[in-house]
């Protein structure tokens, strides 16, 4: 065991911890940065935009020089839509890799765009593997791009992006990545993976507040994206061209959110960047999962697929367990958890990201213990069909 770090400060406004994958619990300093107003055209704000772009770019490791960062107003889905609409030409075709809600949302976005796509749908959580991507690309020469979800937040699985990147590169196609819930805590090296573009947003692992997302893409691809977009406000090339020329966002920027985000980026750097942030989240997950298993809960995923972002647990088989009640009892103790998204068996999720550490995660486990006791649930063991479900991935 490493030496115990001093606990992170608890939320100063007395609000509950958000054990949810964004919005999440932010530092007081991040909230405090929003207490003043900024003129969107003013030099001070332009400097903030510059700083935000260069700090984000520095997080993609090797290949940062060949890339650029383009922030886009809106939530993460706006950025996914901006990326698909801008980098996939009107006559392009996307192979969408889905194993949960966010992959399916990307497919739905393609439908709205009216551009060609094909879907590999692995169901609730099974990961798309390199070999099947290679096969799909060999079978369909019309496919120009592959869209992968880095951490599929609906189950918490960390998808094998290296394998997918390798298969995509070998077939001479281009890779687009939704790294919304992983970027900033899990390495996503632009040079090594060779992706065309990736997206993430302000309110996930960088620990900012919601209001914008960002695209990091190869500069040559951004330039080539001119004229592709179906949408004025979601045109990555146009946003980039304006920012390069004037230092400004094209339309009203979320000024306060940007100010908060810069504070969050400084804290991210002080914590040791992607590695330091990833280490804290990993410890959060390990402490929480070990504690929950100690109560009898079982995770959907085997250890090798667990992300340090969010974990899915099966609901206990005991008929006295009722998720709505469990949620309220957890909330009363200061912890907001998340319902699950599995279609086959009941589940719930606990997030590991945000301003929380191992000290907090131990309290989460204690709160779960107390909640079970309150409900009269003796064992948190899941029903037999849940364990059957789990075997699908154990191999
Ligand atoms: C959060 C998230 C998104 C974006 O969701 P919004 O609600 O639009 O912010 C997209 N993909 C993944 C994997 C996510 O976790």
């Amino acid at each position: 065991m490493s030496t115990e770090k001093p606990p992170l400060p608890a939320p100063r406004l007395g609000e509950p911890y958000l054990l949810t994958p964004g919005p999440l619990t932010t530092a007081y300093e991040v909230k405090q940065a929003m207490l003043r107003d900024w003129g969107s055209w003013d030099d001070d704000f332009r400097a903030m935009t510059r700083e935000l772009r260069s700090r984000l770019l520095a997080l993609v490791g090797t290949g940062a020089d060949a890339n650029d960062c383009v922030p886009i107003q809106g939530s993460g889905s706006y950025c996914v839509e901006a990326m698909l609409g801008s980098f996939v030409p009107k006559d392009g075709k996307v192979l969408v890799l889905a194993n949960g809600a966010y992959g399916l949302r990307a497919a739905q976005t393609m439908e709205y765009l009216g551009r060609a796509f094909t879907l590999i749908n692995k169901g609730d959580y099974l990961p798309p593997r390199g070999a099947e991507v290679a096969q799909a690309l060999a079978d369909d020469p019309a496919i120009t791009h592959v869209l992968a979800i880095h951490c599929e937040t609906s189950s918490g699985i960390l998808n094998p992006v290296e394998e997918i990147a390798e298969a995509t590169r070998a077939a001479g196609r281009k890779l687009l990545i939704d790294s919304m819930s992983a970027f900033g805590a899990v390495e996503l090296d632009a040079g090594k993976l060779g992706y065309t573009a990736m997206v993430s947003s302000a309110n996930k692992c960088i620990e900012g507040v919601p209001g914008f997302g960002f695209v990091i893409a190869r500069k040559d691809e951004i330039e080539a994206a001119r004229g592709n977009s179906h949408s004025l406000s979601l045109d990555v090339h146009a946003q980039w061209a304006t920012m390069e020329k004037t230092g400004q966002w094209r339309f009203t920027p979320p000024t306060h959110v940007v100010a908060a985000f810069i504070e969050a980026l400084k804290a991210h750097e002080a914590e040791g960047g992607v590695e330091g942030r990833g280490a804290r989240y990993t410890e959060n997950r390990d402490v929480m999962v070990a504690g929950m298993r100690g109560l009898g809960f079982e995770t959907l995923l085997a250890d090798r697929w667990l992300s340090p972002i969010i974990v899915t647990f099966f609901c206990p088989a005991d008929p006295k367990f009722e998720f709505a009640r469990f949620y309220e009892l957890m909330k009363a103790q200061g912890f907001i958890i998340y319902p699950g998204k599995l279609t086959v068996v009941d589940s719930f999720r606990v997030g590991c990201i945000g301003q929380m550490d191992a000290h907090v995660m131990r309290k989460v486990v204690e709160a779960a213990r107390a909640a079970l006791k309150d409900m009269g649930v003796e064992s948190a063991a899941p029903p037999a069909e849940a364990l059957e479900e789990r075997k699908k991935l154990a191999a």
Side-chain angles (χ1 to χ4, degrees), residues 21-23 74-80 101-103 105 149-154 178-182 199 201 203-204 210 309:
S75 84
S77 301
Y78 292 61
C79 287
V80 174
Y102 292 103
R105 190 182 295 175
I149 310 291
H150 191 185
C151 170
E152 178 44 85
T153 323
S154 53
D178 169 352
S179 184
M180 207 68 64
S181 63
V199 286
S201 73
N203 58 284
K204 301 234 168 159
I309 310 301

